[in-house]
Amino acid sequence: LGHRIRSLTRLHARPHLMPSFVDNHDVDRFLAGGSQAALKQALLAMFTLPGIPTLYYGTEQAFTEQRASMFAAGWGSGARDHFDRSAPLYGAIAQMAALRREHRLFSRGLPELLRDNPGGPGVLAYVMKHGPQRALVAFNTAEHEVLLDGVALGAGVRLKGVFGLAGRPADRRVGADGQLHLVLPARSGQVWLLDGAGRAGAAAQPQGAPFTVDTLAQPSVGGDFAVSGMAPGVRSLRLVVDGDLAQAQLITPQADGRWQATVDTSRHIDAAAEHRLVAVTTDALKGQLRATPAQRFRV
């Protein structure tokens, strides 16, 4: 999906008039092999990206059979009616449709891809823009928490939570460094409206003591490799690759703040995939996540 978002306007002169769907009568239904949690994510992407959302009947009733009938007299119905406005997916789709109807940037705007994860399940995030209106849409397609770090939105920008697959997300405000860091729950989809353009030059403002990962000697590695950095005044930090908090290394810096670790590359089997490495910690006084600038590498 990240690739499709990047190439949207290049491939389609009028992307807002292109019908979009997650399944139809000519292919297996999404739920024939996917989960309802994943289907909700796919539907939320469809309702927040350019194109005309097109729903195949029965998706809202969690159908798994390709052409089963909605009503009792038809083929594959099991001799009963299935239309149910209280069905969970029916309600979720109605809420997504209301979100798109209320905020025109989802039907008239264009997306800017912020982050995806070519190495596997994880973060997918984009900003929808329409005139002065902006919205952040963030997904986690993994079955565990992941980190979305270093999203440059501008200092002081306010995020108003308007939709979430598991409930409306909390409002947020971007800090003085202009960078947003979020921990995304497993299989989540969340939407915030952005208010404010941010203050120019905010990203250059320091936030506490220097917290860094040293520049990697080589962007391409042949196996496990060493990484180091500085974290003055930090008791512990986590080294995170591709946002995967479940596999993050816990590291204790030395007394002078220097730290080092070895990155295990055994799970990175695609030589074409670019990986992203950051160190993160929590500021105990402010209760806010801090993250280093990212280092990128291929295996």
Side-chain angles (χ1 to χ4, degrees):
L1 185 56
H3 168 72
R4 291 176 179 270
I5 292 173
R6 288 189 187 95
S7 58
L8 184 67
T9 56
R10 177 174 59 84
L11 295 177
H12 305 295
R14 304 178 72 183
H16 301 93
L17 301 184
M18 297 288 290
S20 54
F21 50 85
V22 298
D23 54 14
N24 63 29
H25 61 285
D26 283 330
V27 297
D28 286 342
R29 286 190 179 272
F30 191 104
L31 291 180
S35 67
Q36 286 203 26
L39 174 58
K40 288 180 180 179
Q41 290 184 311
L43 291 169
L44 182 57
M46 184 174 71
F47 274 98
T48 55
L49 286 168
I52 302 170
T54 306
L55 285 167
Y56 182 34
Y57 84 93
T59 294
E60 81 289 352
Q61 304 298 334
F63 276 21
T64 57
E65 181 68 37
Q66 189 172 1
R67 300 191 185 190
S69 298
M70 180 71 72
F71 299 104
W75 175 87
S77 68
R80 67 183 183 90
D81 292 336
H82 294 271
F83 185 74
D84 179 8
R85 291 181 177 175
S86 66
L89 280 171
Y90 187 104
I93 291 169
Q95 292 173 359
M96 295 177 202
L99 173 72
R100 185 179 178 92
R101 191 165 52 244
E102 182 177 356
H103 303 288
R104 287 177 63 85
L105 81 166
F106 296 122
S107 59
R108 300 294 188 270
L110 288 172
E112 175 188 347
L113 184 69
L114 299 176
R115 190 75 46 78
D116 63 349
N117 186 21
V123 171
L124 174 72
Y126 49 89
V127 168
M128 285 295 295
K129 300 179 179 180
H130 179 55
Q133 297 178 312
R134 294 190 300 162
L136 170 64
V137 184
F139 295 95
N140 172 14
T141 62
E143 303 295 341
H144 51 77
E145 288 185 336
V146 299
L147 175 68
L148 172 60
D149 66 282
V151 179
L153 295 178
V157 168
R158 295 184 296 275
L159 286 75
K160 179 183 178 183
V162 292
F163 186 86
L165 294 176
R168 187 178 70 85
D171 296 347
R172 295 180 178 273
R173 182 184 290 269
V174 181
D177 65 347
Q179 305 285 315
L180 177 69
H181 310 298
L182 293 172
V183 175
L184 303 178
R187 279 294 176 188
S188 58
Q190 301 174 90
V191 182
W192 292 266
L193 296 181
L194 305 183
D195 182 15
R199 295 191 293 274
Q205 297 181 17
Q207 187 180 42
F211 180 37
T212 62
V213 174
D214 295 336
T215 302
L216 300 181
Q218 297 291 336
S220 181
V221 299
D224 297 353
F225 63 95
V227 64
S228 58
M230 290 294 296
V234 174
R235 293 185 178 181
S236 64
L237 57 88
R238 287 182 290 176
L239 194 62
V240 184
V241 177
D242 293 340
D244 189 346
L245 292 172
Q247 298 290 333
Q249 282 191 65
L250 183 64
I251 300 169
T252 302
Q254 300 172 6
D256 62 356
R258 195 75 188 165
W259 61 268
Q260 59 184 5
T262 299
V263 176
D264 179 359
T265 62
S266 60
R267 294 181 296 119
H268 306 317
I269 60 175
D270 183 355
E274 184 179 69
H275 302 282
R276 198 170 188 277
L277 181 151
V278 298
V280 297
T281 187
T282 299
D283 188 320
L285 295 179
K286 297 181 180 179
Q288 294 183 348
L289 185 73
R290 296 176 62 199
T292 66
Q295 298 291 329
R296 293 174 171 82
F297 66 93
R298 285 183 168 85
V299 179

